[in-house]
Amino acid sequence: EDEVLRLAASLDQGSEHPLAHAIVQEARRRDLKLSTPTEFESTSGIGVRGQVDEQKLLLGNTALMDEAGIDTQMAHHLADTLREQGASVMYLAAEQQLIGLLTVSDPIKASTPDAIAALKTQGINLIMATGDGINTAQFVAQQLGIEEVYGEVRPADKEALVQRLQAQGKIVAMAGDGINDAPALARADVGIAMGTGTDVAMNTAKLTLVKGDLRGIVSARQISQATVRNMHQNLTFASLYNALGVPIAAGVLYPFTGMLLSPIIAALAMSLSSVSVVGNALRLRSQRT
């Protein structure tokens, strides 16, 4: 068991994926001596490959093993059982032979169910797309009440999903934290990165949730809606001042009432217009989410 973990952790030292970090962290917790990998290569969304201690290793999901022609049949039942319990399962192969399984359990954050419920209440259609196995994805989605789920998807698949939804006329927000999410984050109308994720995701997205708390999406929508309402109010104020002031200043009422707008009053009205708009905008500082 320790040797399987040591080899996997040695290989994963070159990866930025959160699952890789978990494997490396566990190996170090057990005081296992890690080797430096060579010929390291990350295969988008399905795993990594490289050489450790003169052994050619593959570490990833079923798609990576199938692509490499490695037989995983003997481990299918165990892997499916683990996935049904919500664990992410990775196969480790050495010299084209399966030598072990590694599982990482990523518990649902306590704040996530509240965030999901709030978004659904606001009429947002939620979709889960993950590189994890479909059984793992369905287990997590069931806990959160998400009905549309896609498992073992690659970065290109996530981007294609965003494009398909946009082609249906939908406005798409994509939340992700990894390198594999970057294409979809860039393609989405609003890309949302987790502050606890990779730099690539944060640089690609338009919005970053510093603490990686999905309730931040709810807060961001509330602040955005309040801002748009405020903009409409400010435009109304400005239009009202101009609609009243400009015709009077132009002498529209002069033939009937002899009234002209004094330059002093006009200047005061313009100042008042600016003050009202700025004052109304400053109300956003008290916006609570």
Side-chain angles (χ1 to χ4, degrees), residues 66-282:
D66 290 343
E67 183 181 279
I70 296 171
D71 184 12
T72 58
Q73 189 63 42
M74 62 180 176
H76 275 184
H77 178 71
L78 175 58
D80 287 342
T81 300
L82 292 167
R83 291 188 184 109
E84 288 169 0
Q85 296 171 3
S88 298
V89 177
M90 287 154 282
Y91 297 97
L92 178 66
E95 302 296 339
Q96 293 298 110
Q97 293 293 321
L98 182 67
I99 63 171
L101 296 179
L102 293 97
T103 66
V104 178
S105 179
D106 188 14
I108 297 172
K109 288 184 178 180
S111 60
T112 299
D114 291 339
I116 297 298
L119 290 170
K120 292 178 73 172
T121 300
Q122 295 173 12
I124 305 298
N125 181 35
L126 298 172
I127 300 172
M128 176 186 289
T130 174
D132 286 333
I134 187 61
N135 289 341
T136 303
Q138 289 176 338
F139 176 85
V140 175
Q142 186 177 14
Q143 308 304 306
L144 296 173
I146 299 175
E147 297 177 358
E148 191 170 350
V149 187
Y150 300 92
E152 292 196 357
V153 294
R154 302 189 183 203
D157 298 328
K158 293 181 182 180
E159 184 181 11
L161 175 60
V162 171
Q163 285 182 295
R164 177 166 60 81
L165 293 170
Q166 290 173 329
Q168 296 172 5
K170 297 179 180 179
I171 297 174
V172 181
M174 165 71 185
D177 63 356
I179 295 175
N180 297 331
D181 297 317
L185 289 172
R187 175 68 60 179
D189 296 286
V190 181
I192 305 171
M194 304 296 117
T196 53
T198 62
D199 291 339
V200 173
M202 287 186 279
N203 289 333
T204 304
K206 298 181 177 68
L207 173 68
T208 297
L209 304 181
V210 177
K211 296 181 180 179
D213 188 335
L214 291 182
R215 289 178 298 184
I217 298 176
V218 181
S219 299
R221 293 194 75 250
Q222 292 173 345
I223 292 172
S224 298
Q225 289 168 339
T227 301
V228 172
R229 282 197 304 269
N230 195 279
M231 291 165 62
H232 289 164
Q233 293 164 359
N234 288 342
L235 286 171
T236 300
F237 289 150
S239 299
L240 182 61
Y241 279 112
N242 288 316
L244 293 176
V246 172
I248 295 175
V252 171
L253 297 180
Y254 184 77
F256 308 103
T257 65
M259 179 185 295
L260 284 173
L261 192 62
S262 166
I264 297 176
I265 296 176
L268 181 62
M270 289 304 298
S271 298
L272 183 60
S273 171
S274 298
V275 170
S276 63
V277 167
V278 172
N280 187 49
L282 288 175

Side-chain angles (χ1 to χ4, degrees), residues 10-29:
S10 295
L11 181 60
D12 262 341
Q13 289 178 101
S15 174
E16 291 189 10
H17 198 284
L19 296 182
H21 289 174
I23 291 172
V24 173
Q25 185 177 4
E26 175 62 16
R28 288 174 175 161
R29 189 187 69 81

